[in-house]
Amino acid sequence: MATTAKAALLERFERVILEPRRLDYRVQFPGPTGTNAVEAALKLARKVTGRTLVVSFTNGYHGMTLGSLAATGNRGKRSGAGQPLSGTVALPYDGYLGPSVDTLQLIERLLEDPSSGLDLPAAFLVETVQAEGGVRVASTSWLRGLERLARRHGALLIVDDIQVGCGRTGTFFSFEEAGLRPDLVCLSKSISGYGLPMALVLLRPELDLWKPGEHNGTFRGNNLAFLAATEALSFWETDELQRQVLAHGALIAERLAALARCLPSAEVRGRGMIQGLVCGELAQPISRAAFERGLIIETAGPKDEVLKVLPPLTIGKAELCEGLDLLEDAVQAVGRG
Amino acid sequence: MATTAKAALLERFERVILEPRRLDYRVQFPGPTGTNAVEAALKLARKVTGRTLVVSFTNGYHGMTLGSLAATGNRGKRSGAGQPLSGTVALPYDGYLGPSVDTLQLIERLLEDPSSGLDLPAAFLVETVQAEGGVRVASTSWLRGLERLARRHGALLIVDDIQVGCGRTGTFFSFEEAGLRPDLVCLSKSISGYGLPMALVLLRPELDLWKPGEHNGTFRGNNLAFLAATEALSFWETDELQRQVLAHGALIAERLAALARCLPSAEVRGRGMIQGLVCGELAQPISRAAFERGLIIETAGPKDEVLKVLPPLTIGKAELCEGLDLLEDAVQAVGRG
Amino acid sequence: MATTAKAALLERFERVILEPRRLDYRVQFPGPTGTNAVEAALKLARKVTGRTLVVSFTNGYHGMTLGSLAATGNRGKRSGAGQPLSGTVALPYDGYLGPSVDTLQLIERLLEDPSSGLDLPAAFLVETVQAEGGVRVASTSWLRGLERLARRHGALLIVDDIQVGCGRTGTFFSFEEAGLRPDLVCLSKSISGYGLPMALVLLRPELDLWKPGEHNGTFRGNNLAFLAATEALSFWETDELQRQVLAHGALIAERLAALARCLPSAEVRGRGMIQGLVCGELAQPISRAAFERGLIIETAGPKDEVLKVLPPLTIGKAELCEGLDLLEDAVQAVGRG
Amino acid sequence: MATTAKAALLERFERVILEPRRLDYRVQFPGPTGTNAVEAALKLARKVTGRTLVVSFTNGYHGMTLGSLAATGNRGKRSGAGQPLSGTVALPYDGYLGPSVDTLQLIERLLEDPSSGLDLPAAFLVETVQAEGGVRVASTSWLRGLERLARRHGALLIVDDIQVGCGRTGTFFSFEEAGLRPDLVCLSKSISGYGLPMALVLLRPELDLWKPGEHNGTFRGNNLAFLAATEALSFWETDELQRQVLAHGALIAERLAALARCLPSAEVRGRGMIQGLVCGELAQPISRAAFERGLIIETAGPKDEVLKVLPPLTIGKAELCEGLDLLEDAVQAVGRG
């Protein structure tokens, strides 16, 4: 009993996104916001594998409802649950223990040792770029290694592409560069293009073990959002948006690198149009100074130590430069202060 | 940094809904759909009381994310979690054990016995009418007794008014007739009037112990939904809608009663414009027969044994009668078949 | 690699206890005290059924380690866990809701309603007489009904016979009168006869799905306790002990009934040589007065409102009468005070 | 209402063990076996700190009841629970990631990062030598660092000295060499000297927040075990046993080192009279060959790859040498085979 709007969206998603990338997924509408997608993916992963534990990562962010909150790293948000969170364990993300430690080796050691205390997991839940966690970028080799590890131990790979999917890193999915084939993918935010709440879970067809009504909800299908999302997908009929995101991303990275050189022990990291200026205690004053100048730029990271540059994907070059000028101005004002 | 649309909605909600009812609540936007509201309410109740257990009720329905699913009665939906659900216990709703057993007495016994095995709860989470559960209506005396019990044992009262609030029972809140003063109220669905995802949690001001960012999310504030919701609230500037809901509700109940008399051991129950025709194994064939005639009427209850009549609140009388005629037709067709 | 002492015990247990009662059980030594037996039984029940939830009962007492504590009713003891207890739910024991409510019907209603919020349980864990819970006696019809209910819903029946097994009620197992065939039986305390720590789990052979080493521990096999237990079992070669327990039990009940008539709203309940004098706030002063007179008599029940008379099974009649005289003296002293 | 036997034991424990070591502990009898002691310590740590999570370590072994099993590393034993284990996380023990990674730094990183996903723990539960885990020895510097880390983050330090306390490493407590002052210490096994089940928890006096009856049990106090334990403590009136354990330990280590040189990539590790011969797949055949020769020698480690040499502390030199000769014989037989 699907509506025409829903059918149109599914058709375009198949034709414009999945087919050209030779991806074969079913599309589930799990509820209108990102956390609904994560919850649905976690439920399905546990149900399919018959295992309970989900491995998430240090500094990961996946949502505020009980299941996704358990996979979120932030202690302040976790304590909001008012009860112990269970069913998850956070292992070190790529680079978490410094450049000399390969965290995948640690994870592998724990998985292969039958007395490590780590139960075999139902899934790994990962962001290829940890946005809220401070714009931390996983390397393609680490991501590929994680996928291999998951396969070898019978665990599913879930990519939470809610913040950095839908073109943010240049390609539609953030994991295209690494060539991953995740078992489940969570999308939301930009998917509906114009700010209408919508979220998707993509699932490999053989994982679709939902019984009728086993995961339902009111606002899973919202016709207005379907229309907006269908329209937004038209950007992906050509490669123009992708080229523009990469060009604008390079521009942002370059400008931030110049700013970083003016600040003590600052650093730039990111992919495409998500770029972070890691600048410690200066991040919050710079964010405020930018706001005073008419620019909204949020901080991220466990101690709000990163300025997260995340402009609309469709921004024009002139407007982008204006924003970066305002940011530069704010940085200089704080530097002087 | 609230938008104008949000401010306008809050102002109107205060003026049109809360003030005339002498209710004093803060409004939280917990995410765009009902389950987000329930999750936020459960988190807050646990955090405020320092207790973990939440009492929900047999046949209750509160959502599909991990926290609200734990408070949902349906075993099929529960098993979708792929892991044991915890932090909740379902106690018998009003009438669950037949007319001769007062389920409140049972609940009171369990609370007052320090060795009952029931830990003191953070909250009671209740629907005044269990819609998905089969249009089960709690009596005003039971609801008042539940509120007293909660107060006496230091537990909060959370009313999940997602399906039967916003005028469905006649009054804006379904608990007005009983004169309850819930600590937390969950609203969604009709609150935004035109199908745009939105949800609210109302909380007594002294319960607002959220720290900044402790419960956040992407689509908590959606300007289009704010506008729609503000417009929808204009219906409540006069008592016209309320009177119409009661009149139409009476009409529906009357027509259903007539149908019930034609069916073996059928029964009608409901309040305002949510009415259920309890008719056992005939419910699903009647629903299908209605659909063939152009009428969507869902089944509810643990065994899909109830036809749930839930028309739009703003439906006109002619259209309502047409719908009821179609239903009658469907009932007769199934009766003959 | 069993020792001779262990083999001798197993042989005698088989010959003297199991065979004459036509019971077919494997014997597991789960660790030296009652709670180890309960933990092992719960683990096995969950493993065998693939279900998590265990139904325990109001006022039940099963032990202080995390798994058995979750099945214990007392809130004070439960709060000692320092964390929420999960995996169990306490339902009303026989008589808990007064003489007019059949609690089995309530349990059946919850099991048969697929939306009751009660997940299908792995097991029912029950004491036929709740000793710590205040010497509450389940009727044989209730126990039989519970066994039928368990079978019908694929749940195991675990009898915790730690306090009232080994002859306390007259028969060796407390469930012989009701003719139950529990899937698992927990024994400890009197089983080793002379106060040496020992505990047993009896399991239906087809349930023995333990893998090697899956449940082990240091003091599972203790040769001294094996010897003592073997010796103690010689009491069961004839029916003399059983007849004596019943005779002494009747004597105790009679004497307590006489005392009850002197106290306001007092009551006697029990089976065999576990008898309780329910006397409210007088129980503790009477216990103290008895202690001053050289008699140890503990209180039981959620509010310590029951004097629990629990003499050694092998006590002589003269000594028993002396004890009862001391108790009578204590009751009269408190009555006068 | 303590017995004379209990009082005598407590007096001697205070005079012979605690006072000379300037340790100030209360003694709790939590039930007769090791897992009861661990359960009691975990409950108290959670209750005192108001936190839930307990950090255990890879390859740790703490018991089979639900609370201590959650802190045990072995997946086979964990799966015996039949339900997900919660409230614990296993972090890497000293040396777990090879000689170049300091696992304390990893643990510190997780604790100090407020978004690591690791909640602040109630306690660290550690064995100074992991016996079942394969005779893994933590260095004194690592143990001291762990104690500092615990203090700095408000967590308790619990030493599980059940297998390697009571003189096994030479000193009475295994942590004396590192100079630790644990908040809680679990003792069992050798404490009662002659194989009678007994266990102790030592707790810093200010942690004794138990309410009456909050953690009780049947076989907590067993007079025969009290007598045996009191007698066993007489060994500690002089330093003779300690000197002998160290001498015998050195002898065992030397003989094992000689055996290791005959085996491919074998290694010896241990302290005092717990020594392990790490020899991979040869461990089990050697164990069997030893058994055939009249010597019981168990294997340990996640893959049973370690022969665990654990003779009685009071063994004479001649008997010890005889045992080692038998072992040598078994090693050679397997080597030839």
Side-chain angles (χ1 to χ4, degrees):
Chain A
M1 311 202 296
T3 63
T4 328
K6 184 175 172 183
L9 169 59
L10 290 174
E11 184 279 327
R12 184 170 286 181
F13 192 76
E14 183 67 35
R15 182 173 55 78
V16 175
I17 303 300
L18 296 181
E19 268 179 25
R21 291 164 181 80
R22 298 170 191 275
L23 292 169
D24 183 18
Y25 286 121
R26 294 229 176 119
V27 179
Q28 183 189 358
F29 295 94
T33 187
T35 196
N36 302 116
V38 173
E39 293 265 348
L42 295 182
K43 285 163 69 174
L44 193 57
R46 286 171 172 140
K47 188 178 159 72
V48 165
T49 60
R51 300 175 179 175
T52 299
L53 187 71
V54 168
V55 174
S56 59
F57 291 94
T58 52
N59 293 297
Y61 177 88
H62 301 285
M64 290 293 101
T65 50
L66 205 61
S68 51
L69 184 56
T72 291
N74 188 286
R75 249 173 236 159
K77 296 187 193 303
R78 292 172 70 81
S79 78
Q83 68 173 318
L85 296 165
S86 64
T88 54
V89 65
L91 294 180
Y93 194 69
D94 190 20
Y96 189 75
L97 300 170
S100 67
V101 179
D102 179 354
T103 61
L104 266 193
Q105 281 184 6
L106 160 56
I107 297 169
E108 190 164 8
R109 175 90 173 87
L110 293 169
L111 284 171
E112 285 177 3
D113 176 357
S115 287
S116 66
L118 183 76
D119 294 319
L120 288 177
F124 291 88
L125 172 62
V126 70
E127 302 156 281
T128 62
V129 179
Q130 295 184 317
E132 294 304 305
V135 194
R136 291 160 203 265
V137 180
S139 67
T140 55
S141 66
W142 189 87
L143 290 169
R144 285 173 192 151
L146 185 67
E147 186 180 57
R148 277 194 303 271
L149 213 54
R151 302 271 183 268
R152 194 154 66 239
H153 291 279
L156 303 187
L157 179 67
I158 310 174
V159 173
D160 178 341
D161 234 8
I162 293 171
Q163 186 151 170
V164 302
C166 302
R168 178 58 58 186
T169 64
T171 51
F172 184 82
F173 294 111
S174 73
F175 51 80
E176 292 179 40
E177 192 180 310
L180 305 186
R181 287 285 192 254
D183 299 287
L184 292 152
V185 181
C186 301
L187 293 177
S188 185
K189 296 194 190 267
S190 302
I191 186 69
S192 51
Y194 298 99
L196 293 168
M198 193 174 113
L200 298 183
V201 177
L202 307 182
L203 46 152
R204 284 197 300 109
E206 59 272 39
L207 301 178
D208 191 3
L209 302 184
W210 291 118
K211 293 180 198 148
E214 200 171 34
H215 182 98
N216 56 10
T218 303
F219 292 122
R220 290 168 302 145
N222 179 272
N223 280 321
L224 195 52
F226 289 158
L227 288 173
T230 309
E231 197 52 36
L233 286 178
S234 65
F235 280 111
W236 294 91
E237 306 250 9
T238 70
D239 64 355
E240 200 186 311
L241 182 67
Q242 178 163 338
R243 281 189 294 112
Q244 184 185 305
V245 167
L246 292 173
H248 286 177
L251 174 64
I252 300 168
E254 195 180 303
R255 291 284 301 270
L256 291 186
L259 293 181
R261 283 190 290 274
C262 312
L263 294 169
S265 61
E267 182 197 341
V268 179
R269 57 191 183 208
R271 282 176 65 200
M273 284 177 72
I274 176 165
Q275 297 285 338
L277 178 61
V278 189
C279 54
E281 298 187 348
L282 294 178
Q284 297 212 55
I286 293 173
S287 171
R288 278 192 297 272
F291 188 71
E292 285 160 15
R293 282 156 182 80
L295 178 74
I296 294 179
I297 179 161
E298 289 189 325
T299 57
K303 294 171 181 166
D304 285 310
E305 76 281 15
V306 181
L307 285 159
K308 187 173 70 166
V309 179
L310 196 84
L313 295 187
T314 52
I315 197 171
K317 186 167 179 185
E319 210 183 351
L320 176 61
C321 289
E322 196 189 326
L324 290 166
D325 290 345
L326 289 173
L327 178 59
E328 182 176 336
D329 209 38
V331 168
Q332 287 170 350
V334 168
R336 276 191 309 269
Chain B
M1 310 203 292
T3 62
T4 329
K6 184 176 172 182
L9 170 59
L10 290 174
E11 185 278 327
R12 185 169 287 181
F13 192 77
E14 182 67 34
R15 183 173 54 77
V16 176
I17 303 299
L18 297 181
E19 267 179 27
R21 289 162 182 81
R22 298 171 191 275
L23 291 169
D24 184 17
Y25 285 121
R26 294 230 175 117
V27 179
Q28 184 190 356
F29 296 93
T33 187
T35 195
N36 303 117
V38 173
E39 292 265 350
L42 294 182
K43 286 163 69 172
L44 194 58
R46 287 171 171 139
K47 189 178 158 73
V48 165
T49 59
R51 300 175 180 175
T52 299
L53 188 71
V54 168
V55 173
S56 59
F57 292 92
T58 51
N59 293 297
Y61 177 89
H62 301 285
M64 289 293 101
T65 52
L66 204 61
S68 50
L69 183 57
T72 291
N74 188 287
R75 249 173 235 159
K77 297 186 192 303
R78 293 172 69 82
S79 77
Q83 67 174 318
L85 296 165
S86 64
T88 52
V89 66
L91 295 180
Y93 193 70
D94 190 18
Y96 189 73
L97 301 170
S100 67
V101 178
D102 179 355
T103 62
L104 266 192
Q105 281 185 7
L106 159 57
I107 298 170
E108 188 163 8
R109 176 89 172 88
L110 293 170
L111 284 170
E112 284 177 3
D113 176 356
S115 288
S116 66
L118 184 76
D119 295 319
L120 288 176
F124 291 87
L125 172 63
V126 71
E127 302 157 279
T128 62
V129 179
Q130 296 184 316
E132 293 305 308
V135 194
R136 289 160 204 267
V137 180
S139 68
T140 56
S141 67
W142 189 85
L143 289 169
R144 284 173 193 150
L146 184 67
E147 185 179 57
R148 276 194 304 272
L149 213 54
R151 302 269 183 270
R152 193 154 69 238
H153 291 279
L156 303 187
L157 179 67
I158 309 175
V159 172
D160 178 341
D161 234 6
I162 292 171
Q163 186 150 170
V164 301
C166 301
R168 177 60 56 187
T169 62
T171 52
F172 184 82
F173 295 111
S174 72
F175 52 79
E176 292 179 41
E177 191 180 311
L180 305 186
R181 287 285 191 256
D183 299 288
L184 292 151
V185 181
C186 300
L187 293 177
S188 185
K189 295 193 189 265
S190 303
I191 185 68
S192 51
Y194 297 101
L196 293 167
M198 194 174 110
L200 296 183
V201 177
L202 308 182
L203 46 151
R204 285 198 297 110
E206 59 272 39
L207 299 179
D208 191 3
L209 301 185
W210 292 117
K211 293 182 199 149
E214 201 170 31
H215 183 97
N216 55 11
T218 303
F219 291 122
R220 290 169 302 145
N222 179 274
N223 280 320
L224 195 53
F226 289 157
L227 288 173
T230 308
E231 198 51 35
L233 286 178
S234 65
F235 280 110
W236 295 90
E237 306 249 10
T238 70
D239 63 355
E240 200 186 312
L241 181 67
Q242 176 163 340
R243 281 190 293 112
Q244 183 184 307
V245 167
L246 293 173
H248 286 177
L251 174 63
I252 300 167
E254 196 179 303
R255 292 285 301 270
L256 292 185
L259 294 179
R261 282 190 291 273
C262 313
L263 295 167
S265 63
E267 183 197 342
V268 179
R269 56 193 184 208
R271 284 177 62 201
M273 285 177 72
I274 176 165
Q275 297 285 339
L277 177 62
V278 189
C279 53
E281 299 187 347
L282 295 178
Q284 297 210 58
I286 294 173
S287 171
R288 277 192 298 274
F291 188 70
E292 285 159 14
R293 283 155 180 79
L295 178 74
I296 294 180
I297 180 161
E298 291 188 323
T299 58
K303 294 170 182 169
D304 286 309
E305 76 280 15
V306 181
L307 286 159
K308 187 174 70 167
V309 179
L310 196 84
L313 295 188
T314 52
I315 197 171
K317 187 168 178 184
E319 209 183 351
L320 176 61
C321 289
E322 195 188 329
L324 291 166
D325 290 346
L326 290 173
L327 178 60
E328 184 176 335
D329 209 38
V331 168
Q332 287 169 348
V334 168
R336 277 191 305 271
Chain C
M1 310 203 295
T3 63
T4 329
K6 184 175 172 183
L9 170 59
L10 291 174
E11 185 279 326
R12 185 169 288 182
F13 192 77
E14 183 67 33
R15 183 174 52 79
V16 175
I17 304 299
L18 298 181
E19 268 179 26
R21 291 164 182 80
R22 299 172 192 274
L23 291 169
D24 184 17
Y25 286 121
R26 295 230 175 117
V27 179
Q28 182 189 358
F29 296 93
T33 187
T35 195
N36 303 117
V38 173
E39 292 264 349
L42 295 182
K43 286 164 68 174
L44 194 56
R46 285 170 171 139
K47 187 177 159 73
V48 165
T49 60
R51 300 174 179 176
T52 299
L53 188 72
V54 168
V55 173
S56 59
F57 291 93
T58 51
N59 293 297
Y61 176 88
H62 301 285
M64 289 293 100
T65 51
L66 205 61
S68 51
L69 183 57
T72 291
N74 188 287
R75 249 173 234 159
K77 297 187 193 301
R78 293 173 68 82
S79 77
Q83 68 175 319
L85 297 166
S86 63
T88 53
V89 67
L91 295 181
Y93 193 70
D94 190 19
Y96 190 74
L97 300 170
S100 66
V101 178
D102 179 354
T103 62
L104 266 193
Q105 280 185 6
L106 161 57
I107 297 169
E108 189 163 9
R109 175 90 172 87
L110 292 170
L111 284 170
E112 285 178 3
D113 176 358
S115 288
S116 66
L118 184 77
D119 294 320
L120 289 176
F124 291 87
L125 172 62
V126 71
E127 302 156 281
T128 62
V129 179
Q130 296 184 317
E132 294 304 306
V135 194
R136 290 160 202 267
V137 180
S139 66
T140 55
S141 67
W142 189 87
L143 289 169
R144 285 173 193 153
L146 185 67
E147 185 180 57
R148 277 195 303 271
L149 213 53
R151 302 269 183 270
R152 193 155 66 239
H153 291 280
L156 303 187
L157 179 67
I158 309 174
V159 172
D160 177 341
D161 232 8
I162 293 171
Q163 187 150 169
V164 302
C166 301
R168 177 60 55 186
T169 63
T171 51
F172 185 82
F173 295 110
S174 72
F175 52 80
E176 292 178 41
E177 192 180 311
L180 304 187
R181 287 285 192 255
D183 299 287
L184 292 151
V185 181
C186 301
L187 292 176
S188 185
K189 295 191 190 269
S190 304
I191 184 68
S192 50
Y194 298 100
L196 293 168
M198 194 174 111
L200 297 183
V201 177
L202 308 181
L203 45 152
R204 284 197 299 110
E206 59 271 40
L207 300 179
D208 191 2
L209 302 184
W210 291 117
K211 293 182 198 148
E214 202 171 33
H215 182 98
N216 57 9
T218 303
F219 292 121
R220 289 169 302 146
N222 180 272
N223 280 321
L224 195 52
F226 289 157
L227 289 172
T230 308
E231 198 51 36
L233 287 178
S234 66
F235 280 111
W236 294 91
E237 307 249 10
T238 69
D239 64 355
E240 197 186 314
L241 181 67
Q242 176 162 339
R243 280 189 293 113
Q244 184 184 306
V245 167
L246 292 173
H248 287 177
L251 174 63
I252 300 167
E254 194 180 304
R255 291 284 301 269
L256 292 185
L259 294 180
R261 284 191 288 273
C262 313
L263 294 168
S265 61
E267 181 197 342
V268 179
R269 56 193 182 208
R271 284 177 62 202
M273 284 177 74
I274 175 166
Q275 295 286 339
L277 178 61
V278 190
C279 54
E281 299 187 347
L282 295 178
Q284 297 211 56
I286 294 172
S287 171
R288 277 191 297 273
F291 188 72
E292 285 160 15
R293 282 155 181 80
L295 178 73
I296 295 180
I297 179 162
E298 291 189 324
T299 57
K303 294 172 181 166
D304 285 309
E305 76 281 15
V306 182
L307 286 159
K308 188 174 70 168
V309 179
L310 195 83
L313 295 188
T314 52
I315 197 171
K317 186 167 178 185
E319 209 182 352
L320 176 61
C321 288
E322 194 188 329
L324 290 166
D325 290 345
L326 289 173
L327 178 59
E328 181 175 336
D329 208 37
V331 167
Q332 286 170 350
V334 169
R336 277 191 307 270
Chain D
M1 310 204 296
T3 62
T4 330
K6 183 176 174 183
L9 169 60
L10 290 174
E11 185 279 326
R12 185 169 287 182
F13 192 77
E14 182 67 34
R15 183 173 54 77
V16 175
I17 304 298
L18 297 181
E19 268 179 26
R21 292 164 181 79
R22 298 170 192 276
L23 290 169
D24 183 17
Y25 286 121
R26 294 228 176 120
V27 180
Q28 184 190 355
F29 295 93
T33 187
T35 195
N36 302 117
V38 173
E39 293 265 349
L42 295 182
K43 285 164 68 172
L44 194 57
R46 286 171 170 138
K47 188 177 158 73
V48 165
T49 61
R51 299 174 181 176
T52 299
L53 188 71
V54 168
V55 173
S56 60
F57 292 94
T58 51
N59 293 298
Y61 177 87
H62 301 286
M64 288 295 101
T65 51
L66 204 61
S68 51
L69 183 56
T72 291
N74 189 287
R75 248 173 236 158
K77 296 186 192 303
R78 294 171 68 81
S79 77
Q83 67 173 319
L85 297 165
S86 64
T88 53
V89 67
L91 294 180
Y93 194 69
D94 190 19
Y96 190 74
L97 301 171
S100 67
V101 178
D102 179 354
T103 62
L104 265 192
Q105 280 185 8
L106 160 57
I107 297 170
E108 189 164 8
R109 175 90 172 86
L110 292 170
L111 284 170
E112 285 178 2
D113 175 357
S115 287
S116 66
L118 184 76
D119 293 320
L120 288 176
F124 291 88
L125 172 63
V126 70
E127 302 157 281
T128 63
V129 179
Q130 295 184 317
E132 293 305 306
V135 194
R136 290 159 203 267
V137 180
S139 67
T140 56
S141 67
W142 189 86
L143 289 169
R144 285 173 193 151
L146 184 68
E147 185 180 57
R148 277 194 303 272
L149 212 54
R151 302 269 183 270
R152 193 154 68 237
H153 291 279
L156 303 186
L157 179 67
I158 310 174
V159 173
D160 178 341
D161 233 8
I162 292 170
Q163 186 150 169
V164 302
C166 300
R168 177 60 56 187
T169 63
T171 52
F172 184 82
F173 295 111
S174 71
F175 52 80
E176 292 179 41
E177 191 181 310
L180 304 187
R181 286 284 190 257
D183 298 287
L184 292 151
V185 181
C186 300
L187 292 176
S188 185
K189 297 193 189 264
S190 304
I191 186 68
S192 52
Y194 298 100
L196 293 167
M198 192 174 112
L200 296 183
V201 177
L202 308 182
L203 46 150
R204 286 198 296 110
E206 59 271 39
L207 300 180
D208 191 2
L209 302 184
W210 291 117
K211 291 182 199 147
E214 201 170 32
H215 182 97
N216 55 10
T218 303
F219 291 121
R220 288 168 302 144
N222 179 274
N223 281 320
L224 195 54
F226 290 157
L227 288 172
T230 309
E231 198 51 35
L233 285 178
S234 66
F235 280 110
W236 294 91
E237 305 249 10
T238 69
D239 62 356
E240 199 185 312
L241 181 67
Q242 176 163 341
R243 280 191 292 114
Q244 183 184 307
V245 167
L246 292 173
H248 286 177
L251 174 63
I252 300 167
E254 196 180 303
R255 292 285 301 270
L256 291 186
L259 293 180
R261 282 190 291 273
C262 313
L263 294 168
S265 62
E267 182 197 342
V268 179
R269 56 193 184 207
R271 283 176 63 200
M273 283 176 73
I274 176 166
Q275 297 285 339
L277 178 62
V278 188
C279 53
E281 297 187 349
L282 296 178
Q284 296 211 57
I286 295 173
S287 171
R288 278 191 297 271
F291 187 72
E292 286 159 14
R293 283 156 181 78
L295 178 73
I296 294 180
I297 179 161
E298 290 189 324
T299 56
K303 294 170 182 168
D304 285 309
E305 75 281 15
V306 182
L307 285 159
K308 188 174 70 166
V309 180
L310 195 84
L313 295 188
T314 52
I315 196 171
K317 187 168 177 184
E319 208 182 353
L320 177 61
C321 289
E322 194 188 328
L324 290 166
D325 290 345
L326 289 174
L327 178 59
E328 183 177 334
D329 209 38
V331 167
Q332 286 170 349
V334 168
R336 275 191 308 270

